[in-house]
Amino acid sequence: MSSTTSSVPQVNEEQWDDIIGEQKGKVRLNVKEIWRYRDLLTLFVKRDFVTVYKQTILGPVWFLIQPIFTTLIYIAVFGRVAKLTPANVPPILFYLGSVSLWNYFADTLNVTSKTFTDNAAVFGKVYFPRMILPLSKVVSGLIKLVIQFGLFLIFWAYFVFVKQTVHPTYTMIYMPFFLLLLAVLSMGVGIIITSLTTKYRDLNFLISFAVQLLMYATPVIYPVSLVSSKRQIWLWLNPLTSIFEAFKYSFLGKGTLNYFWLGYSAVFTIIVFLFGLLMFSRVERRFIDTV
Amino acid sequence: MSDKVVIRIENVSKQYRLGQVGTGTLSHDLKRWWALTRGQEDPYLKVGVQNDRTKKAESDYAWAVRDISFDVNQGDTLGIIGKNGAGKSTLLKLLSRVTSPTLGRIKIRGRIASLLEVGTGFNPELTGRENIFLNGAILGMTKKEISAKFDEIVAFAGVQMYIDTPVKRYSSGMYVRLAFGVAAHLEPEILIVDEVLAVGDAEFQKKCLGKMSDVAGHGRTVIFVSHNMQAVQSLCKRTVYLNSGKLVEIGETSQVINNYLSREVKNCLSRVWDEHVSNGEHIKLLRADIIPIGSEDGQIALETSVKVRVEFINLKNIKLNLSLLVYTTAGLCVFNLISEQQEVAAGTVCVGELVIPGGLLNNDMYTIVLHFVKNYTVKLLTVEDLLSFEVIEAERTGKWFGKWLGAVRPAIDFNLIQRI
């Protein structure tokens, strides 16, 4: 049993590109590495986008039909039957806008929360920065949202300029910031959940249920003003509330723009995201053994 | 070969948990967490059995790789050999960063690409063109690099006509060729390959081997894991031999392979099957023997004829024939013999018998594989490693002391005649 290690002159001892293994307390998002793989990110986004409408005749039009149907159903159920729409706001605008936003949040959360389990096959064969996958889902969802939002803007322009029944405010220019908050929050929660469920999958069963429930705890299909002012505080504690309300205020002129609660949402989002990064980078190195 | 170390493996160990994930693992996790938060050592790192699949595990943990250290230099072509379960694939997974070692570190200089399985990330809905780009990017290429290689990849795979067709419509051969084409045109500093040669037809395998030695020839580093000793021998300068997760030997390839073969492959001249053991619904094996003819000490020398005999019961009324293959331990098929077909009634005891004449085989280890075949086409039962035997060189003639090359060493007279 001769176990021999070849002895080699040791040049540049410490200049290694990568060190795999024990690295205590080294947790960071390797931005440089993700940048090197940016082409993979764009190709994943393209794949998500292209595979959805393969072998369909209408193609990307389906991205629009889906929210239209949801909106029609919501108008019928929540608008006509439950009468949740605020007065003086065209229901189609009220629902189309917030449904698109909500779908973006929910889809991103659902898909990033399965990052490890859904991609175990690929992750088990090759290495690339694992974070590329949740990031690609955030981006491809965003593109879908932009398309759906374009549809919203067409209806919106009609009510603003032709019918002149909707009066938007200048805070519309903050829309990119609202979207950024939604994107980072959904991804942050998603990567926390996927990190928690690589070994014990119990949580998976709760997630889709919890997301559905969360929609009713967020002013998506109703305005905040519908809740009695005593109980509103509980609603505002949900970081999504201020984002949805600010969106409605900006575009429809109805709703509440509360800078305090927006600031709260931003801080909440950053904390969740950083915590997510921490957990993700701890799990990604060895999850393949237990997934 | 330069002296620059591109991979340094330092005391690397990898522990796996056996059994299923459940409440039992939760209690271990809690104990481990409790120990670690108090600044103590992980209690489960002390336990763990050697990776021997044939025995029942005594512990919940097993070491797939245990305390391995070695360096790989730039431009090296390194083979990794060992039996199933020796830790080869685990080592490759660690090197390609798919998972992290439990203990120890691996230091890497340069870009690594691994071919643990070709076609990773292929999406059946996407076209060949789209998949080339996606798969290339997954393997670490940039868009620009792929565009530059695109025509070459398509030509290599030979799928020009189908390049804009979804790959789900491809034949399996086309699919594999395209997948390997992408992988083969990677230009990493370090390439890790696992058994891809098992796929595709002979011509394609040749192409792949050529491509790999090409890569190695350009000063890049190749690490190659295989069961095929021929391939390792022809590709790799140095070889690592693993056994039960431990490093047994690292060194010059032909020497390491020789040691591996002599330690891991043993003579098996006779086998008797237990009457209660089932070999499937068609055949019940009784015994198989290799009988040297006219050898006094039971040794099989170059000139010794060998009788191979197999006894079995045929369980169904069928038209049966036997097909016997002789392999070198390096995995090369030396020849294949096929018996005549006979109608055999159920319950008949049969004997298959043949004599391999002396003066045919080389001095080497050979293994015998036997197929039971119905209607000349349907395989009923295959017995891998039916028997194995070693042909020795009893008397050395001439002045050449090395091993004669070749799978066979036929007794053919070779005359050198001097014309005066």
Side-chain angles (χ1 to χ4, degrees):
Chain A
M1 284 258 181
S2 66
S3 146
T4 47
T5 311
S6 63
S7 62
V8 181
Q10 298 179 357
V11 268
N12 300 335
E13 178 55 32
E14 290 312 317
Q15 283 185 353
W16 300 97
D17 294 335
D18 270 312
I19 297 179
I20 312 167
E22 300 163 62
Q23 279 170 289
K24 288 199 176 80
K26 229 185 168 185
V27 174
R28 67 203 158 92
L29 179 66
N30 197 337
V31 180
K32 210 171 125 194
E33 199 183 27
I34 289 179
W35 178 247
R36 209 179 75 202
Y37 277 87
R38 63 190 181 280
D39 285 340
L40 180 60
L41 181 70
T42 54
L43 283 164
F44 271 141
V45 171
K46 204 175 145 197
R47 176 195 69 177
D48 288 347
F49 218 65
V50 170
T51 45
V52 171
Y53 57 83
K54 281 263 163 164
Q55 290 198 1
T56 61
I57 293 160
L58 293 179
V61 176
W62 281 108
F63 285 128
L64 300 176
I65 294 174
Q66 209 186 338
I68 288 177
F69 279 168
T70 320
T71 303
L72 289 178
I73 292 166
Y74 282 11
I75 290 174
V77 176
F78 300 116
R80 292 283 156 80
V81 179
K83 301 211 188 304
L84 293 175
T85 340
N88 309 328
V89 176
I92 182 121
L93 286 191
F94 187 82
Y95 289 114
L96 191 57
S98 43
V99 160
S100 304
L101 283 186
W102 175 259
N103 279 348
Y104 173 58
F105 176 82
D107 289 350
T108 310
L109 174 58
N110 275 329
V111 73
T112 51
S113 70
K114 295 195 186 81
T115 304
F116 286 130
T117 35
D118 280 1
N119 300 291
V122 178
F123 285 165
K125 300 292 178 208
V126 276
Y127 175 80
F128 53 87
R130 277 37 176 142
M131 198 54 94
I132 292 278
L133 260 168
L135 274 177
S136 74
K137 299 295 178 192
V138 170
V139 176
S140 57
L142 205 57
I143 294 173
K144 194 171 134 190
L145 175 64
V146 166
I147 294 174
Q148 295 175 350
F149 208 72
L151 180 72
F152 167 80
L153 286 179
I154 293 171
F155 284 103
W156 177 78
Y158 171 75
F159 283 104
V160 173
F161 300 113
V162 181
K163 288 212 147 184
Q164 301 195 332
T165 50
V166 169
H167 309 287
T169 54
Y170 75 95
T171 51
M172 275 185 339
I173 55 168
Y174 297 144
M175 192 59 198
F177 171 69
F178 303 151
L179 286 184
L180 185 72
L181 278 185
L182 271 186
V184 176
L185 185 61
S186 58
M187 181 176 159
V189 177
I191 58 178
I192 289 177
I193 293 166
T194 192
S195 305
L196 288 174
T197 50
T198 54
K199 195 159 186 183
Y200 304 105
R201 305 236 176 114
D202 306 56
L203 204 57
N204 268 344
F205 295 98
L206 288 174
I207 293 309
S208 55
F209 181 65
V211 170
Q212 270 178 21
L213 209 64
L214 186 64
M215 188 178 91
Y216 296 102
T218 308
V220 177
I221 48 161
Y222 58 87
V224 165
S225 51
L226 202 78
V227 181
S228 69
S229 47
K230 242 190 201 169
R231 294 201 181 121
Q232 271 185 21
I233 178 78
W234 296 109
L235 206 53
W236 287 108
L237 280 174
N238 172 0
L240 290 168
T241 300
S242 61
I243 302 172
F244 276 86
E245 278 298 301
F247 159 71
K248 285 175 192 161
Y249 174 78
S250 305
F251 281 87
L252 308 176
K254 295 278 169 188
T256 329
L257 182 76
N258 188 318
Y259 287 108
F260 170 76
W261 286 113
L262 265 178
Y264 160 80
S265 297
V267 171
F268 190 98
T269 302
I270 290 167
I271 291 173
V272 163
F273 187 68
L274 290 179
F275 189 63
L277 284 185
L278 182 83
M279 294 192 61
F280 194 88
S281 57
R282 281 182 71 152
V283 166
E284 68 175 349
R285 292 189 294 136
R286 280 192 204 135
F287 84 96
I288 204 74
D289 304 341
T290 49
V291 74
Chain B
M1 192 173 87
S2 83
D3 281 345
K4 195 178 161 202
V5 181
V6 288
I7 299 177
R8 169 161 295 160
I9 298 173
E10 292 177 345
N11 308 99
V12 163
S13 300
K14 180 73 186 173
Q15 190 186 50
Y16 279 107
R17 197 184 190 290
L18 304 173
Q20 295 187 18
V21 172
T23 43
T25 50
L26 185 61
S27 81
H28 281 199
D29 282 350
L30 292 174
K31 276 182 204 158
R32 180 180 291 128
W33 174 81
W34 178 236
L36 290 175
T37 46
R38 282 182 304 163
Q40 291 179 350
E41 210 184 317
D42 183 345
Y44 295 103
L45 285 183
K46 291 177 199 146
V47 299
V49 289
Q50 268 198 11
N51 194 6
D52 184 347
R53 292 181 187 180
T54 51
K55 286 184 200 137
K56 196 172 180 304
E58 291 145 18
S59 157
D60 283 341
Y61 296 89
W63 292 99
V65 162
R66 188 68 166 145
D67 206 18
I68 286 183
S69 305
F70 62 86
D71 284 350
V72 184
N73 293 333
Q74 186 174 27
D76 245 357
T77 43
L78 185 79
I80 299 180
I81 58 173
K83 285 193 301 188
N84 284 328
K88 304 185 298 285
S89 301
T90 306
L91 190 59
L92 282 205
K93 275 189 177 171
L94 294 172
L95 282 173
S96 54
R97 302 184 65 181
V98 164
T99 184
S100 259
T102 313
L103 295 170
R105 290 198 292 187
I106 300 172
K107 295 171 174 171
I108 292 163
R109 201 174 275 145
R111 204 166 72 166
I112 288 196
S114 59
L115 299 181
L116 298 197
E117 199 172 274
V118 290
T120 307
F122 260 45
N123 188 315
E125 298 291 337
L126 296 178
T127 66
R129 183 187 305 275
E130 289 164 331
N131 267 313
I132 288 178
F133 279 94
L134 183 64
N135 189 233
I138 287 178
L139 294 172
M141 291 202 265
T142 63
K143 230 180 207 166
K144 222 172 112 191
E145 286 172 324
I146 306 165
S147 301
K149 294 268 178 187
F150 186 82
D151 293 336
E152 244 180 281
I153 294 171
V154 176
F156 180 91
V159 291
Q160 285 92 332
M161 206 173 149
Y162 298 92
I163 198 65
D164 288 311
T165 305
V167 295
K168 64 180 174 184
R169 313 239 181 275
Y170 280 30
S171 74
S172 53
M174 276 158 59
Y175 187 94
V176 169
R177 283 203 303 274
L178 185 68
F180 192 87
V182 180
H185 288 82
L186 285 169
E187 293 200 333
E189 279 108 24
I190 304 160
L191 180 68
I192 298 178
V193 187
D194 186 7
E195 293 276 19
V196 275
L197 300 175
V199 298
D201 47 33
E203 185 208 9
F204 184 64
Q205 284 187 5
K206 232 165 125 186
K207 236 174 169 178
C208 300
L209 274 172
K211 190 75 209 174
M212 274 174 60
S213 46
D214 238 33
V215 170
H218 283 83
R220 278 174 282 156
T221 312
V222 178
I223 297 178
F224 178 50
V225 163
S226 182
H227 283 113
N228 186 334
M229 294 302 143
Q230 296 280 320
V232 174
Q233 179 81 64
S234 60
L235 263 171
C236 305
K237 280 181 243 159
R238 292 207 305 154
T239 293
V240 172
Y241 164 23
L242 299 178
N243 185 8
S244 302
K246 288 187 181 137
L247 186 124
V248 178
E249 195 183 6
I250 175 168
E252 197 259 320
T253 297
S254 53
Q255 197 196 331
V256 174
I257 288 184
N258 274 340
N259 288 345
Y260 165 76
L261 293 180
S262 62
R263 290 182 53 160
E264 305 275 349
V265 184
K266 294 182 183 73
N267 264 2
C268 175
L269 295 181
S270 183
R271 275 173 88 178
V272 180
W273 277 267
D274 194 302
E275 57 182 303
H276 303 297
V277 175
S278 163
N279 307 107
E281 52 176 324
H282 292 282
I283 301 293
K284 172 77 195 87
L285 289 162
L286 297 174
R287 64 177 299 150
D289 298 280
I290 285 176
I291 305 145
I293 300 173
S295 162
E296 285 163 16
D297 51 2
Q299 298 273 32
I300 303 166
L302 286 170
E303 58 280 353
T304 314
S305 297
V306 174
K307 181 187 272 184
V308 183
R309 196 171 174 281
V310 58
E311 208 176 310
F312 59 93
I313 305 172
N314 177 48
L315 302 176
K316 296 208 168 146
N317 291 317
I318 44 164
K319 287 181 180 164
L320 179 78
N321 79 298
L322 306 180
S323 169
L324 177 138
L325 298 100
V326 175
Y327 281 89
T328 65
T329 40
L332 182 79
C333 182
V334 186
F335 59 81
N336 179 197
L337 293 170
I338 295 167
S339 77
E340 58 177 329
Q341 178 173 283
Q342 287 186 6
E343 282 203 56
V344 186
T348 316
V349 177
C350 307
V351 177
E353 209 175 60
L354 64 92
V355 175
I356 302 171
L360 174 67
L361 297 174
N362 202 348
N363 66 318
D364 201 349
M365 290 284 313
Y366 294 91
T367 54
I368 293 175
V369 175
L370 185 66
H371 300 294
F372 292 85
V373 185
K374 181 173 134 186
N375 297 338
Y376 280 122
T377 48
V378 185
K379 270 185 209 167
L380 300 175
L381 176 69
T382 298
V383 192
E384 304 276 355
D385 301 323
L386 177 81
L387 296 164
S388 59
F389 60 98
E390 186 177 13
V391 178
I392 57 163
E393 190 168 22
E395 283 169 52
R396 190 57 90 147
T397 49
K399 292 280 182 197
W400 165 244
F401 288 100
K403 185 181 179 295
W404 292 32
L405 293 178
V408 292
R409 186 166 150 184
I412 296 172
D413 288 332
F414 190 3
N415 299 316
L416 179 67
I417 300 153
Q418 293 192 36
R419 292 246 165 91
I420 305 163

